[in-house]
Amino acid sequence: MNAIIIFALLTALMITGMPVSISLGLTVLTFLFAFTQVPIESVALKLFTGIEKFEIMAIPFFILAGNFLTHGGVAKRMIRFATSLVGHWPGGLGLGAVVACALFAAISGSSPATVVAVGSILIPAMVKAGYPLRFGAGVVASAGGLGILIPPSIVMVMYAVSTNSSIGALFMAGVVPGLVLAFMLGLTTFYRAWKYKYPKERRATWGERWTAFRESIWGLALIIVVMGGIYSGLFTPTEAAAMSAVYAFVVAVFVYKDLKFKDVPKTLLASANMSAMLLYIITNAILFSFLLTHENVPQAISEWLLSNGLGVVAFLLAVNLLLLVMGNFMEPSSIILITAPILFPIAMKLGIDPIHFGVMITVNMEIGMITPPVGLNLYVASGISKLGLSEMTVAVWPWLATMLVFLMLITYWPPLTLWLPRTLGML
């Protein structure tokens, strides 16, 4: 009964158009005040102790690094390198967009940032080269989703914080699935380009490829700094995030010199705004998680599911459907912070690996990024391409179908996720 009251309150507040973070906080306060004897002072205490986690510091640092890289000329050099490798195949610029998104994803940690960085350069270039606008916008919006699957990933940090999982193991678990999905999206791009006879670029010489690689090496080196540092034990994921922010600043301002000193405060302010928004959602979501635990909601749901004979296969299918529906109406951070405290204990009872479960949730969030009406990547790509939301929805469907096939693969074949962290001795 308490669970019904809690979720009815939350739903009612969200339907009014209230921001998710405030809806979560007000639900907690209203329920505690009206239905329990818990002193309201404990809410203030929980707000502070909830975000007193070292791992949460990774979020603002990864956001800052992503902003420096987006405005610091790293993206355009990566795009040049990507198109020099695959540009001579059918749909070369589309394939270049997929490769560039995968490379940029490995240094930014954010999907919208990846779409902005790659899309603002490649969508106009594709139209100029004779590609349909829908094709260009569709491929960039979809491949931009790799930003939260290929590590580092802000969404994975959110999951790790709300379930006390290992960020390092999650990051390593995202590598192979990220590469497989990039290959599948590339295959879809290639097939559509070949079928509709889209243009291809001239084949780059090995000299041109070497030059493009040499120019992009400062950006690509960040992948080694972050992943190598975490795996070798040189620094924790949070320290890796701080390192990447400093490194991105140095590369953008002093090496490539595409970001002027006068623009640095603006970049810092944009990062602070984004970080504040996410941290405010986190604090309220931690309060909500405290309320659920206090009322034994996750335990009651898991006992009900297990008593009704719901097995692993049916549970994972139900979770996918729930997350896909929620992905239509909410952004990833809010979904993870609301659902993880409920779904995670049930998954543990059913013997599902926490790292595999985290990657599966991340892939669901990725799909939510390109489904209307709240798909962030759709809005970003729509802003760049000037296509309406309904046109963008049609534009992404071939890649959306590919992602749904990939979701089934990742859900029911855990070795795809767990092989690398196990091989590296992280599990």
Side-chain angles (χ1 to χ4, degrees), residues 300-324:
I301 294 173
S302 63
E303 278 164 23
W304 180 81
L305 289 173
L306 293 171
S307 65
N308 282 294
L310 192 76
V312 174
V313 174
F315 171 71
L316 290 175
L317 185 63
V319 168
N320 281 332
L321 290 172
L322 172 71
L323 294 175
L324 289 172

Side-chain angles (χ1 to χ4, degrees), residues 159-184:
Y159 172 82
V161 165
S162 52
T163 60
N164 287 322
S165 302
S166 159
I167 297 178
L170 266 170
F171 278 7
M172 290 302 168
V175 173
V176 176
L179 294 174
V180 171
L181 180 57
F183 176 75
M184 287 173 71

Side-chain angles (χ1 to χ4, degrees), residues 106-107 217 219-230 235:
I107 58 173
I217 191 72
L220 296 170
L222 187 54
I223 303 169
I224 298 157
V225 170
V226 173
M227 301 310 291
I230 293 170
F235 33 68

Side-chain angles (χ1 to χ4, degrees), residues 131-352:
Y131 291 82
L133 181 56
R134 273 188 183 181
F135 176 82
V139 70
V140 171
S142 311
L146 292 165
I148 58 170
L149 181 58
I150 295 176
S153 160
I154 293 166
V155 168
M156 284 183 179
V157 174
M158 295 278 199
Y159 172 82
V161 165
S162 52
T163 60
N164 287 322
S165 302
S166 159
I167 297 178
L170 266 170
F171 278 7
M172 290 302 168
V175 173
V176 176
L179 294 174
V180 171
L181 180 57
F183 176 75
M184 287 173 71
L185 293 173
L187 216 56
T188 307
T189 308
F190 177 85
Y191 172 72
R192 288 187 70 76
W194 170 78
K195 184 181 174 186
Y196 296 109
K197 298 189 169 43
Y198 293 154
K200 46 183 159 180
E201 306 296 292
R202 82 174 169 81
R203 183 187 288 271
T205 64
W206 284 105
E208 287 168 334
R209 285 173 183 168
W210 171 247
T211 305
F213 172 71
R214 213 175 56 231
E215 285 176 355
S216 63
I217 191 72
W218 286 99
L220 296 170
L222 187 54
I223 303 169
I224 298 157
V225 170
V226 173
M227 301 310 291
I230 293 170
Y231 170 60
S232 65
L234 199 60
F235 33 68
T236 65
T238 308
E239 290 161 354
M243 274 292 299
S244 68
V246 174
Y247 182 94
F249 168 74
V250 171
V251 169
V253 176
F254 298 109
V255 180
Y256 290 150
K257 298 177 182 171
D258 282 23
L259 187 70
K260 300 289 177 278
F261 250 116
K262 66 178 185 345
D263 296 324
V264 170
K266 198 162 69 177
T267 307
L268 290 170
L269 193 62
S271 305
N273 280 339
M274 183 73 177
S275 303
M277 183 189 79
L278 283 176
L279 290 171
Y280 189 59
I281 293 172
I282 290 170
T283 43
N284 284 294
I286 287 168
L287 265 186
F288 187 70
S289 170
F290 158 72
L291 176 64
L292 293 177
T293 311
H294 183 268
E295 296 302 316
N296 290 324
V297 173
Q299 294 87 330
I301 294 173
S302 63
E303 278 164 23
W304 180 81
L305 289 173
L306 293 171
S307 65
N308 282 294
L310 192 76
V312 174
V313 174
F315 171 71
L316 290 175
L317 185 63
V319 168
N320 281 332
L321 290 172
L322 172 71
L323 294 175
L324 289 172
V325 170
M326 289 182 80
N328 288 328
F329 304 103
M330 292 165 71
E331 52 89 39
S333 309
S334 309
I335 298 172
I336 286 180
L337 293 164
I338 291 169
T339 58
I342 303 165
L343 299 173
F344 185 77
I346 305 167
M348 295 309 96
K349 268 196 175 176
L350 289 167
I352 297 164

